[in-house]
Structures are given as C-alpha cells and as structure tokens.
C-alpha cells in the first residue's frame, strides 16, 4: 500500500490543479476559436444538429432533444449551458448573423427569458448549413474522440467566413475575458478579400472596408477616430449612443423618440433606462418630462419621452447621454484561442488567421476531391477499355469457374483453367492487365451499360472527370487559383446573406448638459416620525402651521438650493440636496429619506435634522449614552460627501442628542437611574468632529445617559419624570463631570 502513496508538497498540488482547471475553462469552455469564431458548446450544438439532420429545409425539432443529444454525446457540462448557447444563437438582437432558426419563445430584447426547452423548437439556418457545416464529409478538419471516446467530434468547424468578427463573442474565463463586437458581414468579407489580394495591407487600409462595429441594435458609434487604435491592439472602448428622433406632438409639445438603443442596453437595462429617466424627473434634475412610455414591439424599439412646450430638446438629449445608459461604453477585448493558446488579436491578425484556415481547409478539401476523381478516372478508363473488348470479357466470364478466376485473368493475365473459344482469345486475355479497382468495376458492371448511349455517357463522364482533375491540380498547385476559389465562395455568401450596415460610425462631441439655475427661495422642510420628507412654500406653511407642527417631527426653514443634514444615533451625518426632496402640497406624502440618502432606517435612527445654512452659522452640541459631550463648529459639517462621521464614538456608545447651540445657557443631563445634573453650557469644550469629547456626568456601573435638556437663562421649563413634575431651573447647579442629584419619586 505504501508504494502507491505519493508524497508531495500540498501547495504544488493546489497550483497544478488550479492551472489545469484554469486552462480547461479557457480552452474548453469560455473562449472562442479564432478559426470558426465558436466556443466549444456552440460548435458541439451545431454539429449535433447537423448529425441529427435538423437542416434548414426540414421540420423543426424540440430543443430538449437537441440539448439532450448534445449533452449525452459531446458536452457533459449541464443542460442549461447548452440551451443558453442555443438560445443566443437564435437571437437576432444579439447576433448579427443568427446561426439557428428558432420556433417559439426565445426571449426578447427587453430581457424576457426564453421558454423552457421542452416548449421551443429549432433547426439550422441556411447559412449555417452552407457556410459552417458544408464540407465536413470531405476530411477538411480533424476529428477528435468525445469525452467518453464513443463518438467523434470536429476540433473546429470548416467555417468559410470570419465568424469571430461577424458575430462577435463574449466570455469570462479564469483571469481573462473576451468581448468582441459584431461586425457587418459584407464589410468583413470585403476586408478578407482585400487581405487575400495583398497580405501586406495595413489595419488602416482594412478599415476602408470594416468601418467599425455593426451592432444588431443599431445605434451610433461616436468615437470614430479611436477605432484605428482599437483594431490595431485588439483592446479599447467603443462609445455608443442610441438613436433619437424628435417628433411634434399635440398642443405644441415635443416627443423625443428613441428608435435604436446601445448594444449594451439590451435586456434588463431597457427597464433600468426607463427608471433612470423617471428618476430624473423625481429628483428634479429636469422638469421637462411630461410622460414616458415604452411602445417597443416586434417591429423595433420605440421609447417615447413627452416633453414640455418650452423644453430645450438638445440640452435634454445631452442630459440623457450623461445620466442614463443612452450613451454607453462597449469594452473591446478581442481575445481568442489561436494555435491552442489565448491571444489578444487586432483586426488584421483575426482576418489573417481566418484566411490561413481557409487555405488549409481548401487544400484538404481539394486533395480529397482530387483523390476521388483520380479513383473515378481509373475505373472509367477500365470500363472504356472493357467496352472495346467486351466480347473477350464475356468469353472470360463464361469460361471461368468462379469470380476469383475471372478476376485473376483480368488483373494478372492468368488464363489457366479458363475455357476459351480460340487460341487467339487466350493470348489476348493474357495481355489484359486491368487494375484491381478496374477489375472489380468490370465484374460488377450490368449488361445495360453496353448500350451505345450508356457507353457515350461513360466517355462524357470521363472527359468531365479529366476536367475536374485538371482544375483540382491547378487549385492545389497555384495559390492564386485557390485564392480565387475562396473569393468566389465569399462573394456567393455576401450576395446571398449580406445586408446594409445598421450602426452609424461618426465622431461626436462629448455631451454637455447645462443645468438650469434654480431661482433661490426660502421654503419649509417637513419630516414626519416615519421618515417621510417633503418641502412646501412659506404661504402654505403659514396657512397650515398648527397642523404642520403637530404632524411632523422636524420642521424648519431652508433654501431650495441648499442641503439638509441628518444626524443619526450611530454618529453619522447624511446630507441631502433640497432639490432631491419633493416640493409640493402640504398633504402630499413625501419621500422616505432612505430613498434619497445613504441613511438606513434598519440600522440607525435619526436624532436631529437641520439645514446646512443653520449649521454654518452656529455651533453644535453632541451628547452620547455614556455621557460624553462636546461642542463642534457647525461649519465642519459643510461637506461634499453624502455621508461622513459626525463624531467619534467609543465601542457600544451611541448619540442620544444633537442640538444647534443658539441661546441655551444651561444643560441638564438625566441618567437612567434618575440622576439629574445641571451646569452651564460654557463648561463644554469645543472639539473637532473627529474627537470623542469630554465626560459630562459621572455614571454608576449600570447607569447611562437617558435624556438631555436645555434652558435659556432664567426661563421656566418643566418636565414630567415618572409622573412627577420637575422644574429644571430649580435643580441644584453643579459642575461638569459630577454625579448630580437623584430625584426621589
């Protein structure tokens, strides 16, 4: 047993195992092959459909059958990955050239998923049959054993076009990812032909043909000048915008209609775009929006934004480009498997790899065809020769005892044992010398082949065979001839399946949104005990002042251009722009402050709310549960960040009181055990917001600060404590950091 135990360093085993796993994911799962532009799961699915005979001119078959057969024979990685790949290859909004013809619900551009595989059906597209799978029977690619060595599968499909560019690809491997945009079939084929005619052509010259990405969703690429560098290196960022049209509506209003979207917006991002546009109106980023509707259908995208009469349309367009995904970035990383390893390739490198592959496939194809024609020529020549001496052949057949004797005579001239009518026949028979294949063809020849017309047809076939042999030998001997054959096939595909470019390529200036200046005015901020906030004008406040004060926890005047500051028990300061708070009627519900700030009502509670203007004019007093006190200059809270630490807290401590220091003279601290301590506010030192503060009251072992009160000079202030009324100014005046007096109840 000991001799079978291998002792090794654990880290080495982990390193080797991880490298093996990473290479498996890179090569066998996530990245496409530069030659056919397909990932293994896509290649295996298409090949399985080809083997099952699910051609473009035959009935659809259940997707579940295709998925199950592919998983059982070629791709043992789970049915979901196979079905997902099949679905994507049917979607014309994801692929510039769909490879599978789907029947049923295969999802839509708005992100709705495909129906389960048991409901949908599929078959190959015509171009897939003609340009991806056509020559598999001609030994043009290597076949490898499948995972259990019970079947053979192609290592690559003999694709006749640069599919990696035409359909693009995306995938995440281990430590690397690929993201290749789709391109126009006509442009890519033209560039391929240009490269074949001049292999020294530069990327810049190739871009006379390939203008840039051609996304199925259309849109506008706006950084044309940066595309050359992207296609040189294979890496970069393509900036794309949706296409927007302006339509006049009733009542002098204007409709902004989005007819094409960026490729990156397909799926759930369309819904997010609609929410983002609605959010622009809710947060007062713009007041130009009247309504937004999604009128998209099978015919195409149509998102209508209704604007006010006096709206600045160009400025609003720029707002959409800046604040939503109507302008987005497609990160290009043209990574593919080349010669068995991942490689980032530019436009020319991808075309070169594909052309080299086309020459390799064509060489193997025409070698195979030449061999078959040479074999046919041999047989045809034997049959023609046999027809010229048909009487002798019949005499040999009639005089032979069995097939082997007749064959030996035809091939080797052995005449022993064969009965001939004359010595001349015997001498002639000994001189026949047919080849093995010719002899078999003669022995299997039917009598009707001796009819004159059949003999003439045989001679015509032989002439055609000789012409084919000459053509194939010329193709194999001269690279120019082979190039012309490949170019002719490319032209046929371009003629049959080419379409106009969908995506516009241009240079556009960066979108600049000029935010309209808000006319500054005083308004009233209201927040109820449930955390719903809103603002109202001063006149509304004066008319409803009594109800406002009863129904709301925080009420104060502020500027509509300013900020509101929320102080929480966890020592955090959350700021909100007043423009983000809904302005309206007194009875409007308002908006939860959780929705417009970083405040989380599940983890913290609001202690105090103030306007930024007030804080800048005054100082702020903090008191915590452990009786730590400090005064902070309110200007320290005039910050750009949405959330900062308003004070430093010890472990387990929390803020129980925050107050703007205006005319307060005395502070009264009340502990949980019933101790009250009154002293002057002047005894509290001023600290920075990052400081803990000083102790305001000596607390017992299990005691803590429960409440904080303030009085102004000699004013009378009474509180109720455990059903007993206490006049705060009559409490004994003490000093900070003393125990205070206990109130007997």
């Amino acid at each position: 047993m000991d001799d079978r135990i291998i002792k090794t360093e654990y880290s080495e085993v982990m390193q080797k195992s991880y490298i093996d796993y990473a290479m498996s994911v890179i090569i066998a799962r996530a990245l496409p092959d530069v030659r056919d532009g397909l990932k293994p799961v896509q290649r295996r699915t298409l090949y399985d459909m080809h083997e099952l005979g699910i051609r473009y001119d035959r009935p659809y078959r259940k997707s579940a059958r295709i998925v199950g057969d592919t998983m059982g024979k070629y791709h043992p990685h789970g049915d979901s990955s196979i079905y997902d790949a099949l679905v994507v290859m049917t979607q014309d909004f994801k692929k510039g050239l769909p490879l599978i013809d789907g029947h049923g619900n295969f999802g839509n551009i708005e992100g709705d998923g495909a129906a389960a595989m048991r409901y949908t059906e599929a078959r190959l597209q015509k171009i897939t049959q003609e340009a991806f799978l056509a020559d598999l029977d001609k030994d043009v690619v290597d076949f490898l054993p499948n995972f259990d060595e019970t079947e053979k599968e192609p290592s690559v499909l003999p694709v006749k076009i640069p599919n990696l560019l035409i359909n693009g690809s995306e995938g995440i491997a281990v430590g690397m990812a690929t993201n290749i945009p789709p391109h126009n079939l006509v442009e890519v084929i033209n560039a391929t032909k240009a490269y074949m005619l001049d292999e020294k052509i530069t990327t810049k010259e190739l871009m006379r043909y390939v203008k840039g990405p051609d996304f199925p969703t259309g849109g506008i690429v706006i950084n044309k000048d940066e595309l050359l560098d992207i296609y040189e290196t294979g890496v970069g960022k393509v900036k794309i915008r949706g296409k927007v049209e302006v339509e006049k509506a009733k009542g002098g209003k204007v409709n902004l209609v989005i007819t094409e979207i960026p490729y990156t917006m397909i799926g759930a991002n369309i819904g997010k775009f609609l929410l983002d546009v609605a959010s622009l109106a809710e947060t007062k980023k713009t007041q130009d929006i009247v309504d937004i509707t999604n009128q998209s259908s099978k015919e195409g995208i149509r998102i209508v934004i209704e604007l006010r009469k006096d709206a600045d349309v160009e400025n609003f367009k720029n707002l959409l480009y800046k604040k939503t995904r109507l302008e987005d970035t497609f990160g290009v990383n043209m990574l593919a498997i080349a010669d068995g390893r991942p490689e980032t390739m530019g436009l020319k490198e991808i075309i070169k790899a594909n052309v080299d592959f086309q020459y390799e496939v064509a060489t193997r194809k025409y070698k195979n065809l030449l061999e078959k024609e040479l074999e046919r020529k041999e047989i045809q020549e034997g049959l023609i020769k046999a027809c010229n001496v048909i009487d002798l052949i019949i005499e040999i057949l009639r005089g032979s005892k069995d097939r082997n004797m007749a064959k030996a005579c035809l091939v080797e001239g052995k005449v022993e044992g064969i009965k001939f009518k004359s010595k001349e026949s015997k001498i002639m028979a000994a001189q026949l010398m047919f080849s093995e294949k010719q002899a078999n063809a003669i022995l299997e020849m039917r009598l009707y082949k001796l009819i004159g017309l059949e003999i003439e047809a045989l001679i015509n076939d032989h002439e055609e065979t000789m012409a084919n042999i000459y053509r194939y030998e010329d193709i194999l001997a001269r690279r120019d001839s082979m190039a012309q054959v490949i170019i002719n096939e490319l032209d046929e595909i371009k003629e049959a399946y080419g379409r106009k470019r969908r995506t516009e390529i241009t240079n556009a200036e960066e979108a600049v949104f000029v935010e309209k200046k808000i006319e500054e005015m005083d308004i009233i901020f209201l927040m109820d005990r449930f955390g719903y906030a809103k603002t109202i004008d001063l006149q509304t406040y004066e008319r409803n002042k009594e109800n406002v004060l009863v129904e709301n926890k925080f009420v104060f005047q502020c500027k509509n251009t300013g900020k509101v500051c929320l102080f929480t028990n966890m020592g955090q300061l959350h700021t909100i722009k007043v423009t983000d708070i809904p302005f309206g009627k007194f009875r409007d519900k308002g908006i939860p402050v959780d929705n417009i700030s970083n405040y989380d009502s599940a983890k913290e509670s609001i202690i105090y709310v103030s306007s930024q203007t007030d804080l800048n004019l005054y100082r702020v007093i903090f008191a915590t549960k452990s009786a730590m006190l400090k005064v902070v200059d309110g200007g320290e809270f005039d910050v750009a960040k949405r959330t900062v630490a308003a004070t430093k807290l010890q472990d387990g401590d929390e803020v129980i009181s925050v107050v703007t220091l205006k005319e307060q003279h005395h502070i009264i601290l009340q502990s949980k055990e019933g101790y009250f301590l009154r002293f002057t506010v002047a005894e509290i030192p001023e600290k920075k917001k990052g400081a803990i503060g000083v102790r305001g009251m000596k607390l017992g072992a299990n005691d803590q600060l429960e409440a904080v009160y303030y009085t102004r000079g000699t004013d009378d202030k009474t509180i109720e404590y455990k059903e007993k009324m206490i006049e705060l100014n009559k409490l004994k005046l003490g000093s900070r950091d003393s125990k205070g007096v206990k109130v007997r109840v």
Side-chain angles (χ1 to χ4, degrees), residues 138-173:
K138 295 181 178 65
D139 189 34
V140 291
V141 293
D142 294 332
F143 276 73
L144 304 172
N146 69 337
F147 61 91
D148 61 0
E149 299 188 358
T150 59
E151 301 279 347
K152 293 280 188 180
E153 61 174 308
S155 59
V156 62
L157 293 185
V159 180
K160 298 178 181 179
I161 53 178
N163 180 55
L164 186 65
L165 288 173
I166 292 167
N167 266 330
S169 186
E170 60 180 20
I172 300 172

Side-chain angles (χ1 to χ4, degrees), residues 428-693:
M428 290 175 64
Q431 298 172 356
L432 287 176
M433 294 301 193
F434 287 98
S435 69
E436 185 101 7
K437 292 177 181 176
Q438 288 174 336
N440 286 330
I442 291 167
L443 292 171
E444 291 169 4
M445 183 174 64
R446 297 187 180 184
L447 288 175
Y448 79 87
K449 290 286 185 182
L450 302 175
I451 299 170
L453 290 176
E454 289 294 328
I455 295 172
E456 188 178 335
L458 178 62
I459 294 170
N460 291 336
D461 287 345
H462 179 58
E463 290 174 355
E464 184 180 336
T465 299
M466 292 304 293
N468 286 340
I469 290 171
Y470 175 79
R471 178 168 169 262
Y472 298 157
E473 286 177 341
D474 179 64
I475 290 171
L476 291 168
R478 295 175 58 241
R479 190 174 177 88
D480 288 350
S481 297
M482 186 175 287
Q484 192 57 52
V485 169
I486 296 171
I487 288 172
N488 290 342
E489 289 184 343
L490 290 173
D491 283 336
E492 289 175 6
I493 293 169
K494 182 177 74 172
E495 186 67 29
Y497 304 104
R499 58 163 178 77
K500 290 182 179 180
R501 161 174 282 279
R502 293 186 178 122
T503 302
E504 184 181 333
I505 308 290
T506 187
N507 284 312
E509 295 181 4
E510 185 176 351
V512 177
F513 170 65
V514 180
E515 197 164 350
K516 291 181 181 177
K517 290 185 178 180
I518 302 172
E519 186 180 343
E520 190 173 84
M521 59 183 284
D522 289 322
I523 55 175
I524 303 296
F525 170 85
L526 312 177
M527 191 177 95
D528 63 21
R529 61 191 178 92
F530 300 107
Y532 280 79
K534 63 190 173 208
T535 56
I536 58 175
D537 59 51
L538 295 175
Q539 292 79 9
T540 303
Y541 170 67
E542 291 297 334
R543 288 197 305 269
N544 302 275
K545 189 171 183 178
E546 187 175 336
N547 289 332
V548 166
L549 297 174
V550 170
E551 297 176 15
N552 291 280
K553 187 175 180 181
F554 297 102
V555 179
F556 54 81
Q557 184 173 314
C558 62
K559 298 287 185 183
N560 62 338
T561 55
K563 292 181 182 177
V564 170
C565 300
L566 312 177
F567 294 88
T568 74
N569 64 323
M570 302 310 294
Q572 297 293 307
L573 165 67
H574 302 292
T575 61
I576 305 171
K577 288 182 180 179
V578 176
T579 52
D580 291 342
I581 303 168
F583 176 81
K585 300 176 182 177
F586 169 57
R587 288 300 173 191
D588 289 345
K589 189 175 183 180
I591 188 172
V593 289
D594 305 53
N595 294 1
I596 51 176
S597 71
N598 293 332
Y599 167 68
D600 186 351
S601 58
K603 296 179 181 178
E604 52 188 341
S605 56
I606 296 171
I607 301 298
Y608 182 65
V609 183
S610 173
S611 72
Q612 185 73 66
T613 307
D614 265 9
L615 292 178
N616 287 341
L617 295 174
Y618 300 101
R619 296 184 298 162
V620 181
I621 304 177
F622 286 84
T624 74
K625 189 168 64 175
S626 62
M628 302 302 291
L629 305 177
K630 69 174 179 181
V631 173
V632 181
D633 188 319
E636 286 200 41
F637 303 113
D638 192 352
V639 293
K641 291 184 178 180
R642 295 184 70 191
T643 299
V644 295
T647 186
K648 188 175 181 180
L649 294 173
Q650 296 172 319
D651 290 343
D653 201 4
E654 63 181 69
V655 179
I656 65 166
S657 173
V658 179
V659 174
T660 303
L661 181 56
K662 294 181 179 178
E663 298 176 4
Q664 297 93 323
H665 187 67
H666 288 110
I667 180 172
I668 298 92
L669 306 180
Q670 175 219 315
S671 79
K672 192 175 180 182
E673 296 292 334
Y675 286 90
F676 283 76
L677 174 62
R678 181 168 73 99
F679 58 92
T680 59
V681 170
E683 291 188 56
I684 305 172
E686 185 171 325
K687 300 278 186 181
K688 294 292 184 182
K689 73 175 187 289
I692 292 176

Side-chain angles (χ1 to χ4, degrees), residues 358-368 475-476 482:
Q358 294 307 319
Y359 279 121
E360 180 189 335
V361 168
T363 300
R364 292 180 64 163
K365 174 183 175 180
Y366 286 104
K367 277 185 178 179
N368 180 276
I475 290 171
L476 291 168
M482 186 175 287

